[in-house]
Amino acid sequence: MNNKKHSDVHNRKKSAGRISVCGILCAAALVIFVAEAQLPPLLPVPGAKLGLANIITLFALLYLTPQETALILVSRILLGAVFCGQPSAILYSLCGGLLCLLGEMLLIKLLGRRFICEISVVGAMLHNIGQLCCAALITKTAAVFSYLPILVIVGAVCGAFCGFCILILDRIYGKKFMAMLKKDAER
Amino acid sequence: MTHKKFILLLTAVLAAAAAALYFSPSDTNGKIAEVYSNGSLVRRIDMDKLTEPLTFDVEYSGGHNTIVAENGEIYVKTADCPDKLCVNQGRISDGSAPIVCLPNRLVIKITDSPGEDKPDSVSR
């Protein structure tokens, strides 16, 4: 690459390095998502699952921009549905995932990253609520809302677990990841 | 806002959810099973008038659920959805929670018979 183009790349907000970071995180989320789909359902409640892929979403939210995080989330959902052979799950996942991301984005702006564990809990609850609203719209029956209380509780438990995972992940890889991003920005 | 306050807030939400779960209205005298496919009512079964097990199929865009109603209970016997959550939800006999199969857009719920009081007896 010659010098002229080099400065051009430098000025661009989305450098190749950042896009590949997004790609790596998306791949990690996909692996977690597909591996989790192999587990038998925890509870006979529609929509109740660990939601481990949310760890990556929150990690991305900590270090990347909201737009990049949304990109990772949406591509993970679309590709995950393809890999798991469940195209019907796309709508539910999108509704839940985007509502969850929106809430987490607002909370991380309002409260700061110290609250990442609590934000994970709220995010998991929001994901389940979004999914349930989508299910109610699709099946056109309000009766599915009778699962709301149990889904909120399941969301809190799973969200707390994911929150601790993020804390650990952040402690191990946070600094390395930040350094990598900085190195990319300087190049 | 401190961690403590936030956790307190979350606990309050959880307590509300637990209370809603505990006190959820379950009309035990409801004995009409309604089967919805993609939002429209496809079948209404009066569970009290059922004398022998009733088995039927509901199809939605290639997905099949085999539903069995017997002895005042209704359940999904087999299904070709990927997660089989509808089968795992087991038998329902009251209005506390419906059976939902999201991939096949199927909802089975039990409501109380309109204009009727509690049944005198339930055959088992």
Side-chain angles (χ1 to χ4, degrees):
Chain A
M1 206 182 278
N2 58 38
N3 273 335
K4 235 183 187 175
K5 273 213 172 139
H6 193 270
S7 66
D8 189 46
V9 166
H10 184 71
N11 288 335
R12 246 188 293 169
K13 218 179 166 187
K14 270 207 181 345
S15 70
R18 273 188 98 85
I19 290 179
S20 44
V21 163
C22 291
I24 290 166
L25 284 182
C26 182
L30 256 178
V31 169
I32 295 173
F33 184 79
V34 172
E36 198 193 327
Q38 307 307 315
L39 296 173
L42 290 174
L43 289 169
V45 176
K49 58 182 234 164
L50 264 172
L52 291 174
N54 194 37
I55 295 172
I56 300 294
T57 311
L58 265 176
F59 187 76
L61 206 57
L62 278 178
Y63 291 100
L64 304 173
T65 62
Q67 293 95 309
E68 284 164 332
T69 311
L71 193 72
I72 292 171
L73 178 75
V74 172
S75 34
R76 188 260 292 170
I77 289 171
L78 293 181
L79 288 173
V82 171
F83 288 155
C84 292
Q86 270 180 283
S88 62
I90 288 180
L91 263 178
Y92 306 113
S93 299
L94 270 182
C95 281
L98 289 179
L99 189 69
C100 163
L101 183 68
L102 211 70
E104 285 172 346
M105 249 159 55
L106 284 175
L107 280 176
I108 220 165
K109 274 240 169 77
L110 280 173
L111 301 168
R113 52 198 304 147
R114 289 187 303 127
F115 285 88
I116 195 69
C117 206
E118 288 94 327
I119 291 172
S120 166
V121 172
V122 177
M125 287 177 176
L126 283 177
H127 183 281
N128 286 350
I129 291 169
Q131 224 172 20
L132 211 57
C133 289
C134 179
L137 280 179
I138 284 181
T139 60
K140 299 188 198 86
T141 29
V144 292
F145 278 115
S146 57
Y147 282 110
L148 184 65
I150 183 81
L151 276 176
V152 166
I153 294 170
V154 170
V157 174
C158 297
F161 178 72
C162 289
F164 283 117
C165 291
I166 295 160
L167 282 183
I168 295 166
L169 191 72
D170 191 34
R171 202 157 288 170
I172 299 173
Y173 284 114
K175 275 193 183 136
K176 267 189 204 165
F177 196 77
M178 204 63 209
M180 192 171 79
L181 284 181
K182 246 186 206 154
K183 212 170 150 193
D184 176 64
E186 280 162 5
R187 246 195 307 175
Chain B
M1 177 110 57
T2 58
H3 283 277
K4 234 182 189 170
K5 272 187 196 161
F6 202 100
I7 289 170
L8 218 65
L9 202 72
L10 282 179
T11 317
V13 173
L14 274 186
L21 196 64
Y22 190 74
F23 296 111
S24 61
S26 58
D27 39 63
T28 42
N29 37 356
K31 280 295 165 218
I32 302 276
E34 292 180 334
V35 180
Y36 294 85
S37 175
N38 196 24
S40 50
L41 185 67
V42 291
R43 197 130 186 180
R44 243 175 109 89
I45 306 153
D46 191 335
M47 304 288 262
D48 288 339
K49 290 191 181 133
L50 224 56
T51 48
E52 53 187 38
L54 176 69
T55 308
F56 58 97
D57 232 49
V58 175
E59 197 215 334
Y60 171 73
S61 77
H64 292 269
N65 297 70
T66 306
I67 300 159
V68 178
E70 59 180 0
N71 301 334
E73 295 175 322
I74 189 161
Y75 62 99
V76 180
K77 197 178 176 201
T78 53
D80 56 4
C81 53
D83 52 13
K84 302 280 184 290
L85 275 176
C86 47
V87 180
N88 290 334
Q89 277 166 53
R91 296 154 183 258
I92 57 168
S93 54
D94 59 38
S96 53
I99 294 178
V100 183
C101 181
L102 287 181
N104 292 349
R105 299 194 180 181
L106 176 87
V107 176
I108 305 168
K109 63 177 180 182
I110 292 185
T111 55
D112 39 348
S113 23
E116 262 181 287
D117 286 334
K118 209 176 160 185
D120 299 347
S121 65
V122 179
S123 61
R124 297 221 177 250

